[in-house]
Amino acid sequence: MTETEVLDLFRQSGALLDGHFRLSSGLHSDRYLQSALVLQHPDFAERLGRALAARTAHIQATAVLSPALGGIVIGQEVGRALHVRALFAERQDGVLTLRRGFTLSPSDRVLVVEDVVTTGGSTRETIAVAEAAGARVIGAASIIDRGSDPARLNVPLQALVRMEVPAYPPESCPLCANGIAVVKPGSRA
Ligand SMILES: [Zn+2]
Protein backbone atom coordinates (compact mmCIF):
# COMPACT_ATOMS: atom_id res chain seq x y z
CA MET A 1 0.00 0.00 0.00
CA THR A 2 1.20 3.52 -0.74
CA GLU A 3 1.08 6.30 1.87
CA THR A 4 -1.82 7.84 -0.05
CA GLU A 5 -3.82 4.58 0.04
CA VAL A 6 -3.23 4.25 3.79
CA LEU A 7 -4.24 7.86 4.45
CA ASP A 8 -7.36 7.39 2.29
CA LEU A 9 -8.51 4.58 4.61
CA PHE A 10 -7.88 6.84 7.62
CA ARG A 11 -9.82 9.74 6.11
CA GLN A 12 -12.70 7.50 4.94
CA SER A 13 -13.16 6.24 8.50
CA GLY A 14 -12.74 9.61 10.25
CA ALA A 15 -9.47 8.42 11.82
CA LEU A 16 -7.62 11.44 10.41
CA LEU A 17 -9.20 14.88 10.48
CA ASP A 18 -7.87 18.31 9.51
CA GLY A 19 -9.06 21.37 11.41
CA HIS A 20 -8.35 22.86 14.85
CA PHE A 21 -8.56 20.40 17.71
CA ARG A 22 -8.17 20.35 21.47
CA LEU A 23 -6.44 17.03 22.17
CA SER A 24 -6.91 15.01 25.36
CA SER A 25 -3.51 16.34 26.47
CA GLY A 26 -4.97 19.88 26.42
CA LEU A 27 -2.68 20.83 23.53
CA HIS A 28 -4.07 22.11 20.24
CA SER A 29 -3.35 20.65 16.80
CA ASP A 30 -4.39 21.09 13.19
CA ARG A 31 -4.68 17.29 12.92
CA TYR A 32 -6.57 14.62 14.79
CA LEU A 33 -5.43 11.01 14.52
CA GLN A 34 -7.37 8.12 16.08
CA SER A 35 -6.32 4.81 14.59
CA ALA A 36 -9.05 2.85 16.43
CA LEU A 37 -11.50 4.45 13.98
CA VAL A 38 -9.80 2.90 10.96
CA LEU A 39 -9.15 -0.42 12.73
CA GLN A 40 -12.85 -0.74 13.69
CA HIS A 41 -13.34 -1.83 10.07
CA PRO A 42 -11.99 -5.39 9.90
CA ASP A 43 -11.44 -5.18 6.14
CA PHE A 44 -9.26 -2.08 6.59
CA ALA A 45 -7.42 -3.64 9.54
CA GLU A 46 -6.72 -6.73 7.45
CA ARG A 47 -5.35 -4.67 4.56
CA LEU A 48 -3.11 -2.62 6.85
CA GLY A 49 -1.90 -5.83 8.53
CA ARG A 50 -1.06 -7.41 5.20
CA ALA A 51 0.84 -4.30 4.12
CA LEU A 52 2.94 -4.32 7.31
CA ALA A 53 3.53 -8.06 6.94
CA ALA A 54 4.80 -7.51 3.39
CA ARG A 55 7.31 -4.95 4.72
CA THR A 56 8.56 -7.24 7.50
CA ALA A 57 8.32 -10.79 6.11
CA HIS A 58 12.05 -10.78 5.30
CA ILE A 59 13.05 -10.64 8.97
CA GLN A 60 11.28 -13.98 9.57
CA ALA A 61 9.61 -13.25 12.88
CA THR A 62 8.22 -16.20 14.82
CA ALA A 63 5.87 -14.07 16.93
CA VAL A 64 4.28 -10.63 17.00
CA LEU A 65 4.09 -8.75 20.30
CA SER A 66 1.94 -5.63 20.74
CA PRO A 67 1.26 -3.29 23.65
CA ALA A 68 -2.40 -3.25 24.78
CA LEU A 69 -4.77 -1.78 23.91
CA GLY A 70 -3.80 0.22 20.84
CA GLY A 71 -1.55 -2.42 19.31
CA ILE A 72 -3.78 -5.46 19.70
CA VAL A 73 -5.94 -5.23 16.58
CA ILE A 74 -3.13 -4.45 14.15
CA GLY A 75 -0.85 -6.98 15.88
CA GLN A 76 -3.45 -9.69 15.32
CA GLU A 77 -3.69 -8.79 11.62
CA VAL A 78 0.08 -8.76 11.10
CA GLY A 79 0.30 -12.12 12.88
CA ARG A 80 -2.45 -13.48 10.64
CA ALA A 81 -0.66 -12.34 7.48
CA LEU A 82 2.71 -13.70 8.65
CA HIS A 83 1.12 -16.92 10.00
CA VAL A 84 2.78 -16.49 13.40
CA ARG A 85 1.43 -16.05 16.93
CA ALA A 86 0.15 -12.60 17.93
CA LEU A 87 0.66 -11.85 21.64
CA PHE A 88 0.02 -8.70 23.60
CA ALA A 89 1.55 -7.16 26.69
CA GLU A 90 -0.60 -5.21 29.13
CA ARG A 91 -0.10 -3.05 32.20
CA GLN A 92 -0.22 -4.51 35.66
CA ASP A 93 0.43 -1.97 38.43
CA GLY A 94 1.73 0.38 35.75
CA VAL A 95 4.28 -2.06 34.35
CA LEU A 96 3.92 -3.59 30.89
CA THR A 97 3.96 -7.36 31.24
CA LEU A 98 2.98 -10.67 29.60
CA ARG A 99 -0.13 -12.15 31.22
CA ARG A 100 -2.80 -14.74 30.35
CA GLY A 101 -0.25 -17.53 29.97
CA PHE A 102 1.51 -15.87 27.00
CA THR A 103 5.12 -17.09 26.74
CA LEU A 104 8.14 -16.40 24.56
CA SER A 105 11.28 -18.52 24.38
CA PRO A 106 14.93 -17.90 23.41
CA SER A 107 14.18 -19.38 19.98
CA ASP A 108 11.55 -16.68 19.31
CA ARG A 109 12.30 -13.83 16.90
CA VAL A 110 9.85 -11.11 17.88
CA LEU A 111 8.35 -8.33 15.79
CA VAL A 112 6.87 -5.54 17.94
CA VAL A 113 3.73 -4.14 16.26
CA GLU A 114 1.86 -0.95 17.17
CA ASP A 115 -0.76 1.24 15.57
CA VAL A 116 1.13 4.50 16.05
CA VAL A 117 4.68 5.13 17.25
CA THR A 118 5.16 8.63 18.66
CA THR A 119 8.27 8.94 20.80
CA GLY A 120 8.99 5.21 20.73
CA GLY A 121 8.55 4.91 24.49
CA SER A 122 5.95 2.14 24.34
CA THR A 123 7.97 0.38 21.63
CA ARG A 124 11.02 0.30 23.91
CA GLU A 125 8.89 -0.94 26.79
CA THR A 126 7.45 -3.72 24.64
CA ILE A 127 10.93 -4.69 23.44
CA ALA A 128 11.99 -4.95 27.10
CA VAL A 129 9.04 -7.28 27.84
CA ALA A 130 10.11 -9.65 25.04
CA GLU A 131 13.74 -9.56 26.12
CA ALA A 132 12.82 -10.21 29.75
CA ALA A 133 10.97 -13.31 28.52
CA GLY A 134 14.23 -14.45 26.88
CA ALA A 135 13.27 -13.74 23.25
CA ARG A 136 15.14 -11.71 20.66
CA VAL A 137 13.47 -8.64 19.13
CA ILE A 138 14.38 -8.32 15.48
CA GLY A 139 12.20 -5.43 14.39
CA ALA A 140 9.28 -3.10 14.98
CA ALA A 141 6.40 -2.08 12.74
CA SER A 142 3.64 0.49 12.97
CA ILE A 143 0.94 1.86 10.70
CA ILE A 144 2.04 5.43 11.45
CA ASP A 145 5.37 6.80 12.64
CA ARG A 146 4.82 10.25 14.11
CA GLY A 147 8.49 11.09 14.22
CA SER A 148 10.27 8.51 16.34
CA ASP A 149 14.03 8.74 16.80
CA PRO A 150 15.54 5.61 15.17
CA ALA A 151 18.63 5.86 17.39
CA ARG A 152 16.48 5.38 20.48
CA LEU A 153 14.62 2.30 19.27
CA ASN A 154 17.61 -0.02 18.78
CA VAL A 155 15.66 -2.04 16.18
CA PRO A 156 14.58 -1.10 12.66
CA LEU A 157 11.06 0.37 12.48
CA GLN A 158 8.92 -0.18 9.40
CA ALA A 159 5.99 2.22 9.08
CA LEU A 160 3.37 2.59 6.33
CA VAL A 161 3.20 6.37 6.81
CA ARG A 162 5.49 8.93 8.40
CA MET A 163 3.50 11.91 9.58
CA GLU A 164 4.01 14.67 12.12
CA VAL A 165 1.04 15.70 14.23
CA PRO A 166 1.98 19.14 15.55
CA ALA A 167 0.77 20.08 19.03
CA TYR A 168 0.75 23.56 20.51
CA PRO A 169 0.00 24.98 23.96
CA PRO A 170 -3.21 27.04 23.52
CA GLU A 171 -1.36 30.31 24.26
CA SER A 172 1.03 29.77 21.34
CA CYS A 173 -1.39 28.02 18.96
CA PRO A 174 -1.27 29.64 15.49
CA LEU A 175 -4.85 28.53 14.77
CA CYS A 176 -6.11 30.26 17.94
CA ALA A 177 -4.10 33.33 16.90
CA ASN A 178 -6.05 33.33 13.63
CA GLY A 179 -9.36 33.20 15.49
CA ILE A 180 -10.33 29.72 14.26
CA ALA A 181 -12.80 27.96 16.59
CA VAL A 182 -11.33 24.96 18.39
CA VAL A 183 -13.26 21.66 18.60
CA LYS A 184 -12.86 18.60 20.77
CA PRO A 185 -12.49 15.54 18.50
CA GLY A 186 -15.49 13.25 18.65
CA SER A 187 -17.91 16.01 19.64
CA ARG A 188 -20.52 17.06 17.12
CA ALA A 189 -20.17 20.69 16.18
ZN1 LIG B 1 -5.62 26.47 19.10
Side-chain angles (χ1 to χ4, degrees):
M1 289 179 89
T2 64
E3 285 208 4
T4 306
E5 288 169 334
V6 172
L7 292 176
D8 277 350
L9 293 188
F10 272 74
R11 289 189 192 284
Q12 271 182 53
S13 48
L16 178 63
L17 304 174
D18 296 307
H20 181 196
F21 304 102
R22 186 187 301 113
L23 307 178
S24 53
S25 60
L27 299 175
H28 290 194
S29 182
D30 60 3
R31 273 193 178 148
Y32 171 67
L33 179 67
Q34 177 47 271
S35 58
L37 293 177
V38 69
L39 294 171
Q40 73 181 318
H41 301 286
D43 290 350
F44 293 175
E46 186 182 16
R47 285 177 63 187
L48 294 166
R50 276 205 308 263
L52 279 176
R55 300 266 188 111
T56 53
H58 64 283
I59 62 176
Q60 297 184 305
T62 63
V64 164
L65 178 64
S66 298
L69 282 163
I72 292 179
V73 172
I74 189 64
Q76 181 79 15
E77 292 300 335
V78 174
R80 185 202 309 276
L82 291 174
H83 304 289
V84 300
R85 291 186 298 147
L87 289 62
F88 58 87
E90 59 201 299
R91 292 197 187 278
Q92 186 171 30
D93 302 322
V95 181
L96 204 62
T97 182
L98 284 182
R99 300 182 68 189
R100 303 171 195 267
F102 285 149
T103 57
L104 290 167
S105 74
S107 61
D108 274 315
R109 296 163 54 82
V110 173
L111 175 67
V112 170
V113 175
E114 291 181 85
D115 54 346
V116 178
V117 170
T118 305
T119 62
S122 67
T123 313
R124 285 197 302 279
E125 256 188 294
T126 311
I127 290 170
V129 168
E131 289 176 345
R136 203 167 128 224
V137 177
I138 49 162
S142 67
I143 305 169
I144 293 187
D145 176 0
R146 285 182 49 182
S148 64
D149 178 358
R152 293 180 64 201
L153 282 182
N154 296 325
V155 296
L157 171 68
Q158 290 284 345
L160 298 181
V161 175
R162 283 176 212 287
M163 181 177 71
E164 304 273 339
V165 180
Y168 314 100
E171 58 274 16
S172 59
C173 172
L175 301 147
C176 284
N178 283 329
I180 299 165
V182 65
V183 298
K184 188 168 162 278
S187 61
R188 304 258 168 205

